[in-house]
């Protein structure tokens, strides 16, 4: 099973840091700084999970998720909203999507590991 | 002519019915006898027949029907006698028959006219006697009273006979009323609705409404209506209105008396509130001033006024003033008696300005919350690389070639990042709590296990000597997760503001009949000066740069959040403290089920 984690995030310092961090904890990061590239990348190079920032332009994380789930009909690809926006939990609860989670920035290594393992299981 | 004569009938002759009957019978018999004698003797037979008209006319005059009976009897008797003596002369027989028919015709004619006269008389008498109006006839030269009915006499406590001896001008209550009457009478020979006051027999005043008209030369007919009750009611009304006016004139509250939905009285404050003139207000329906969009609610509210137990609480409604301005009034109602009938006393407090300020505050709070959310986002984002790199370095210090003292520095950095993260989270929590948008998820659960969970999660047993005194049977109702964080905050503060050897006690108390749970957390820490008791619960109070704030900075926003959560449960947090001896924070939580608006 692939250990590819796609990080859709427009903040360069976070991309840089996460690149190192994800590798360090045994994953293979795919960095996507432009959200418009992300959907094509999902199709051409499917990841095991997407870490998705919310506040992005020109398309925000929610819109991306909507497109992914309905337009591209990819419903069982785990997506973790990786966000500094507060109170997204309520909205997530309403969506009742079993493959959707959230990690509040800033996230520590143990929190990140736990969040990923929730969907991907512990690495062998 | 006297009234008692009128009553017995001015057109009937004296004597009782029996006497009259006897007179008629005697006259009739005399006529028959005379007639028989003259036929027998053959003298004056034609003339004697005329005598029959005496009893017939008399009888018809007394009673039209009896007149006809008498005429028929006389006619029969006259014919019998006439035929007996005149037979078989045809001329005589025709003449006798014609004479007999004439009796009946004359009786019928008289009866017809008498009937008409008597029924007219009856009508007049009925109207005069039974009228609810006082009726009197007076002389227009000397104002002597010629005739009065009972009603008029009774109005002034006189008998009819007493009234008949009086002059109308002497019956007015005062010379002023008399001259008013004379002035009007001089101008108008026919008038209606002249209100004046007459004097009753005992000298008391009687309000009357007079209408008069000339019915014949020298005689004026006058109808009199007693309007005492109406005048009294008007006076009472004026007195009441005067009282209301005096009582409510200076009130800043709009005060109304509403009866069947209509405004009976409004004070100057209401006039100013709706900007209509008093004349435009009185008699109008109160609902006419309510903003149309608010009318249904208002109607529902006002329907309850008539109930025995109307709504006790004030309710707010939007009014539209004459200038079109929408104003907000808070209505309080009370049932009262107005003019002898149930009415509603309506107090309206103008809260337009208050409402406007509240709306403004609400908007400002929303804006502030928006700013806090944005700021939180902006503050958290750059923390991510810092936290990530620190985690990374510390997770493999040897691998990164980090020496022990450098590692300690990095650990301190990590602590600070954690604290900043916590402060930002608290700030967000508080903004949600203060916006009132947080929903509690309530359930009823045992208190003791919750406390144990908090103690275990925070590893408090390792930090302090704990005394827990909560019976297992104690059940509380509330949002378990939120109460967990409240207990955790209070326990963390107890640890943070004391030095080893720390002693922390957690106690529960509630007397029988007490409607609240009291959960206390006692420490042996630095304590809080009494003048700071309230400010420690205020958000951002601790960043004001005082010695105290530095001392308590680790409190952050935890107490504000705890206070808000407990308040959402309908409870409160209190504090007792002695500086350098310790503090006790007590959560007071209602026992009954929590009702809170979403």
């Amino acid at each position: 099973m692939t250990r590819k984690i796609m990080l859709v995030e427009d903040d360069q310092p976070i991309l840089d840091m996460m690149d190192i961090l994800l590798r360090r904890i045994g994953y293979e990061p795919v960095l996507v700084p432009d959200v418009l590239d992300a959907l094509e990348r999902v199709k051409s190079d499917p990841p095991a999970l997407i870490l998705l920032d919310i506040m992005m332009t020109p398309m925000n994380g929610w819109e991306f998720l909507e497109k992914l789930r309905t337009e591209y009909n990819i419903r069982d690809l785990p997506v973790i909203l990786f966000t500094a926006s507060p109170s997204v939990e309520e909205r997530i609860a309403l969506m009742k999507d079993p493959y959707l989670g959230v990690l509040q920035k800033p996230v520590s290594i143990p929190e990140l590991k736990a969040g990923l393992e929730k969907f991907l299981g512990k690495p062998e | 002519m006297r009234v008692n004569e009128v009553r017995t009938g001015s057109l009937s002759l004296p004597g009782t019915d029996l006497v009259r009957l006897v007179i008629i019978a005697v006259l009739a018999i005399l006529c028959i006898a005379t007639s028989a004698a003259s036929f027998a003797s053959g003298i004056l037979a034609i003339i004697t027949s005329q005598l029959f008209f005496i009893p017939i006319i008399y009888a018809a005059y007394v009673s039209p029907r009896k007149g006809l009976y008498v005429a028929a009897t006389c006619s029969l008797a006259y014919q019998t006698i006439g035929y007996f003596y005149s037979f078989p002369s045809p001329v005589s027989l025709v003449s006798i028959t014609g004479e007999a028919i004439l009796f009946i015709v004359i009786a019928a004619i008289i009866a017809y006219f008498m009937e008409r006269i008597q029924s007219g008389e009856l009508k007049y008498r009925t109207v005069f006697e039974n009228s609810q109006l006082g009726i009197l006839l007076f002389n227009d030269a000397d104002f002597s009273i010629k005739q009065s009915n009972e009603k008029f006499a009774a109005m002034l406590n006189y008998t009819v006979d007493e009234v008949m001896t009086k002059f109308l001008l002497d019956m007015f209550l005062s010379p002023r009323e008399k001259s008013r009457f004379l002035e009007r009478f001089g101008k108008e020979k026919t008038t209606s609705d002249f209100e004046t006051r007459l004097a009753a027999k005992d000298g008391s005043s009687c309000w009357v409404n007079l209408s008069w008209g000339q019915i014949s030369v020298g005689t004026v007919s006058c109808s009199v209506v007693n309007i005492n009750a109406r005048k009294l009611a008007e006076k009472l009304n004026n007195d009441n209105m005067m009282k209301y006016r005096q009582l409510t004139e200076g009130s800043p509250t709009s005060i109304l008396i509403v009866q069947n939905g209509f405004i009976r009285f409004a004070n100057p404050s209401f006039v100013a509130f709706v900007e209509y003139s008093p004349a435009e207000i009185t008699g109008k329906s109160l609902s006419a001033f309510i903003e149309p969009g608010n009318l249904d609610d208002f109607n529902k509210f006002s329907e309850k006024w008539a109930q025995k137990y109307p709504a006790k609480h004030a309710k707010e409604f939007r009014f539209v003033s004459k200038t079109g301005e929408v104003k907000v009034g808070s209505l309080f109602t009370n049932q009262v008696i107005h003019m002898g009938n149930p009415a509603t006393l309506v107090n309206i407090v103008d809260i337009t300005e208050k409402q406007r300020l509240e709306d403004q505050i609400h908007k400002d709070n929303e804006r502030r919350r928006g700013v806090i959310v944005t700021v939180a986002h902006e503050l958290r984002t750059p923390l991510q690389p810092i936290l990530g790199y620190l985690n990374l370095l510390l997770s493999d210090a040897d691998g990164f070639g980090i020496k022990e003292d450098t590692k300690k520095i990095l650990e301190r950095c990590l602590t600070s990042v954690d604290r900043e993260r916590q402060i930002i989270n608290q700030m967000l929590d508080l903004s949600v709590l203060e916006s009132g948008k947080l929903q509690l998820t309530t359930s009823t659960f045992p208190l003791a296990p919750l406390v144990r969970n908090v103690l275990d999660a925070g590893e408090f047993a390792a930090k302090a000597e704990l005394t827990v005194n909560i019976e297992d049977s104690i059940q509380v109702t509330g949002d378990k997760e939120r109460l967990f964080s409240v207990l955790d905050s209070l326990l963390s503060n107890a640890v943070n503001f004391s030095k080893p050897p720390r002693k922390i006690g957690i106690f529960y108390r509630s007397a029988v009949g007490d409607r609240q749970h009291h959960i206390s957390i006692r420490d042996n820490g630095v304590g809080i000066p009494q003048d700071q008791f309230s400010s420690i619960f205020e958000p951002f109070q601790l960043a004001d740069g005082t010695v105290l704030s530095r001392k308590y900075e680790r409190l952050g926003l935890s107490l504000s959040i705890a206070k808000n959560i407990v308040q959402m449960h309908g409870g409160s947090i209190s504090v007792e403290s002695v500086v350098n001896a310790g503090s006790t924070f007590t959560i007071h939580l209602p026992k009954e089920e929590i009702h809170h608006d979403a």
Side-chain angles (χ1 to χ4, degrees):
Chain A
M1 188 190 166
T2 176
R3 302 286 287 169
K4 265 184 205 158
I5 305 290
M6 181 185 282
L7 176 61
V8 186
E9 165 70 75
D10 61 359
D11 186 282
Q12 198 55 46
I14 292 180
L15 281 170
D16 294 342
M17 184 276 295
M18 288 296 281
D19 189 24
I20 303 169
L21 204 81
L22 285 167
R23 281 178 208 288
R24 191 85 189 176
I25 58 174
Y27 294 94
E28 192 186 318
V30 178
L31 307 180
V32 184
D34 189 343
V35 65
L36 294 178
D37 298 337
L39 285 166
E40 279 314 307
R41 295 283 290 274
V42 170
K43 282 180 90 176
S44 62
D45 185 12
L49 183 145
I50 300 175
L51 277 173
L52 180 64
D53 187 22
I54 293 180
M55 284 220 210
M56 292 180 293
T57 51
M59 188 196 290
N60 69 30
W62 298 112
E63 290 163 347
F64 172 85
L65 184 66
E66 173 74 13
K67 266 191 187 303
L68 181 78
R69 294 292 195 232
T70 57
E71 212 171 292
Y72 285 71
N73 204 21
I74 300 171
R75 295 178 190 276
D76 56 0
L77 174 62
V79 175
I80 294 178
L81 296 171
F82 184 48
T83 177
S85 304
S87 30
V88 293
E89 281 89 349
E90 280 174 40
R91 187 162 171 183
I92 288 171
L94 289 174
M95 292 168 82
K96 294 193 165 42
D97 183 339
Y99 294 98
L100 185 61
V102 64
L103 281 173
Q104 284 281 359
K105 287 176 192 167
V107 67
S108 65
I109 290 183
E111 286 163 351
L112 179 64
K113 270 173 131 172
L116 294 173
E117 283 166 11
K118 200 175 133 194
F119 290 107
L120 304 175
K122 282 191 188 289
E124 287 92 43
Chain B
M1 198 180 347
R2 309 295 294 247
V3 162
N4 50 2
E5 287 172 331
V6 171
R7 212 175 303 138
T8 52
S10 60
L11 292 172
S12 52
L13 297 176
T16 66
D17 285 351
L18 186 69
V19 172
R20 282 186 218 126
L21 202 65
V22 171
I23 293 170
I24 291 165
V26 169
L27 283 173
I29 290 162
L30 275 174
C31 288
I32 293 165
T34 312
S35 178
S38 72
F39 272 120
S41 60
I43 312 162
L44 300 172
I46 298 299
I47 295 167
T48 51
S49 70
Q50 308 305 317
L51 293 174
F52 278 98
F53 287 114
I54 296 167
I56 290 169
I57 291 170
Y58 178 65
Y61 183 72
V62 170
S63 159
R65 193 174 293 178
K66 279 175 197 153
L68 285 174
Y69 294 150
V70 172
T73 311
C74 291
S75 163
L76 201 66
Y78 179 69
Q79 268 179 300
T80 311
I81 297 163
Y83 285 1
F84 181 77
Y85 289 105
S86 308
F87 193 80
S89 160
V91 176
S92 293
L93 290 180
V94 170
S95 153
I96 287 161
T97 306
E99 192 75 28
I101 291 169
L102 199 61
F103 290 172
I104 295 170
V105 171
I106 292 293
I109 290 168
I110 292 171
Y112 173 73
F113 283 107
M114 286 314 296
E115 191 80 55
R116 290 204 48 178
I117 289 166
Q118 283 184 1
S119 71
E121 145 81 359
L122 194 69
K123 259 185 230 161
Y124 160 73
R125 210 187 307 160
T126 309
V127 170
F128 194 79
E129 287 311 308
N130 301 329
S131 173
Q132 290 307 299
L133 295 173
I135 298 175
L136 72 155
L137 304 180
F138 63 87
N139 184 308
D140 70 352
D142 63 0
F143 295 98
S144 63
I145 293 174
K146 291 174 157 186
Q147 202 174 322
S148 157
N149 69 347
E150 286 269 22
K151 190 79 188 172
F152 176 68
M155 219 179 269
L156 303 173
N157 292 329
Y158 286 111
T159 64
V160 171
D161 288 337
E162 283 170 333
V163 170
M164 304 288 285
T165 62
K166 296 212 161 269
F167 291 85
L168 180 61
L169 289 184
D170 297 337
M171 300 185 85
F172 287 94
L173 185 76
S174 63
R176 202 177 137 261
E177 293 296 334
K178 183 164 84 175
S179 60
R180 271 186 61 231
F181 168 76
L182 282 173
E183 195 186 324
R184 181 80 171 263
F185 190 77
K187 270 193 272 185
E188 299 170 26
K189 286 291 171 200
T190 299
T191 196
S192 59
D193 285 337
F194 175 74
E195 290 185 0
T196 185
R197 281 201 280 179
L198 299 181
K201 195 177 178 182
D202 61 3
S204 65
S205 150
C206 178
W207 272 100
V208 290
N209 180 312
L210 304 180
S211 303
W212 62 77
Q214 195 124 24
I215 51 166
S216 64
V217 180
T219 304
V220 175
S221 159
C222 179
S223 66
V224 187
V225 181
N226 185 335
I227 55 167
N228 247 354
R230 200 192 85 205
K231 281 286 171 187
L232 269 174
E234 277 177 14
K235 187 174 181 300
L236 203 64
N237 193 4
N238 286 340
D239 286 356
N240 274 341
M241 288 303 179
M242 194 62 81
K243 257 180 233 160
Y244 289 140
R245 212 155 275 143
Q246 284 167 351
L247 284 171
T248 62
E249 195 158 35
S251 171
T253 304
S254 296
I255 300 172
L256 305 171
I257 288 182
V258 179
Q259 218 164 26
N260 303 323
F262 296 100
I263 299 169
R264 301 289 180 222
F265 169 80
N267 74 336
S269 270
F270 187 72
V271 172
F273 182 57
V274 293
E275 299 166 50
Y276 286 93
S277 71
E280 287 171 312
I281 292 167
T282 312
K284 266 245 183 94
S285 160
L286 179 53
S287 59
F289 301 95
I290 299 285
E291 191 206 49
N294 215 194
L295 205 56
D296 284 349
D297 280 348
F298 176 78
N299 288 337
K300 269 182 215 151
F301 178 66
S302 62
E303 273 166 24
K304 290 186 188 147
W305 295 352
Q307 290 169 10
K308 200 175 175 188
Y309 302 104
K312 272 185 187 167
H313 303 291
K315 219 165 145 48
E316 288 164 16
F317 291 101
R318 294 186 300 277
F319 291 75
V320 183
S321 75
K322 195 173 185 177
T323 56
E325 193 189 336
V326 174
K327 297 190 168 186
V328 187
S330 187
L331 270 69
F332 303 79
T333 64
N334 268 93
Q335 289 310 106
V336 293
I337 298 293
H338 174 66
M339 309 287 301
N341 290 308
T344 308
L345 185 71
V346 183
N347 284 255
I348 304 172
V349 179
D350 184 353
I351 56 164
T352 312
E353 188 60 17
K354 180 176 156 260
Q355 193 74 40
R356 199 185 62 74
L357 288 172
E358 275 178 8
D359 288 349
Q360 188 61 45
I361 288 167
H362 185 71
K363 268 187 212 152
D364 288 351
N365 280 341
E366 284 292 294
R367 203 172 301 136
R368 196 182 68 165
R369 196 173 122 70
V371 169
I372 287 174
V373 168
T374 309
V375 166
H377 182 268
E378 296 307 308
L379 290 176
R380 278 166 154 188
T381 305
L383 275 183
Q384 180 61 71
I386 301 171
L387 181 63
Y389 286 129
L390 284 171
N391 276 163
L392 198 64
L393 293 173
L394 288 166
S395 68
D396 186 13
D398 291 346
F400 286 105
I402 295 166
K403 288 178 192 164
E404 199 54 34
D405 49 351
T406 314
K407 195 180 167 188
K408 272 188 185 140
I409 292 168
L410 292 176
E411 276 167 353
R412 283 176 199 167
C413 290
L414 188 63
T415 310
S416 287
V417 171
D418 263 337
R419 223 168 77 203
E420 178 153 1
R421 185 159 73 140
Q422 199 188 345
I423 289 168
I424 295 168
N425 288 343
Q426 285 182 342
M427 197 168 80
L428 286 166
D429 280 352
L430 196 64
S431 85
V432 175
L433 280 167
E434 286 186 337
S435 74
K437 283 181 180 159
L438 188 93
Q439 295 258 9
L440 293 180
T441 312
T442 57
S443 61
T444 300
F445 52 88
L447 180 62
L450 178 73
V451 172
R452 272 197 295 278
N453 287 346
V454 176
L455 294 173
D456 291 349
E459 295 171 349
F460 286 103
K463 299 168 188 164
E465 184 191 317
L466 299 173
T467 311
V468 182
N469 189 0
I470 301 170
E471 283 178 38
D472 286 345
S473 61
I474 305 301
Q475 300 265 336
V476 294
T477 302
D479 187 319
K480 204 168 174 179
E481 213 169 296
R482 300 278 165 188
L483 291 176
F484 182 103
S485 76
V486 170
L487 289 166
D488 184 59
S489 296
L490 295 179
L491 285 161
S492 298
N493 287 338
V495 169
N496 288 338
F497 293 97
S498 56
K499 292 192 184 91
R502 295 189 180 94
K503 286 183 179 177
I504 297 176
I506 305 164
F507 306 100
Y508 173 88
R509 79 186 148 80
S510 182
V512 177
D514 192 338
R515 298 172 71 151
Q516 285 187 318
H517 303 289
H518 308 280
I519 306 153
S520 300
I521 292 164
R522 195 173 66 201
D523 65 52
N524 60 340
V526 294
I528 305 153
Q530 200 159 357
D531 61 347
Q532 299 292 333
F533 281 3
S534 60
S535 67
I536 56 167
F537 291 103
E538 293 302 318
F540 305 113
Q541 280 289 305
L542 304 162
D544 63 357
T546 62
V547 175
L548 183 100
S549 79
R550 283 204 295 277
K551 199 165 157 188
Y552 290 99
E553 67 187 336
R554 276 173 297 169
L555 262 177
L557 299 170
S558 65
L559 276 180
S560 298
I561 293 169
K563 183 189 82 169
N564 268 283
I565 291 172
V566 175
Q567 278 178 347
M568 279 187 74
H569 282 78
S572 59
I573 298 181
S574 64
V575 59
E576 293 162 68
S577 187
V578 177
V579 175
N580 294 326
S583 308
T584 303
F585 284 83
T586 304
I587 303 164
H588 310 277
L589 205 60
K591 280 181 179 171
E592 60 264 44
E593 213 164 303
I594 301 151
H595 302 281
H596 58 86
D597 296 320

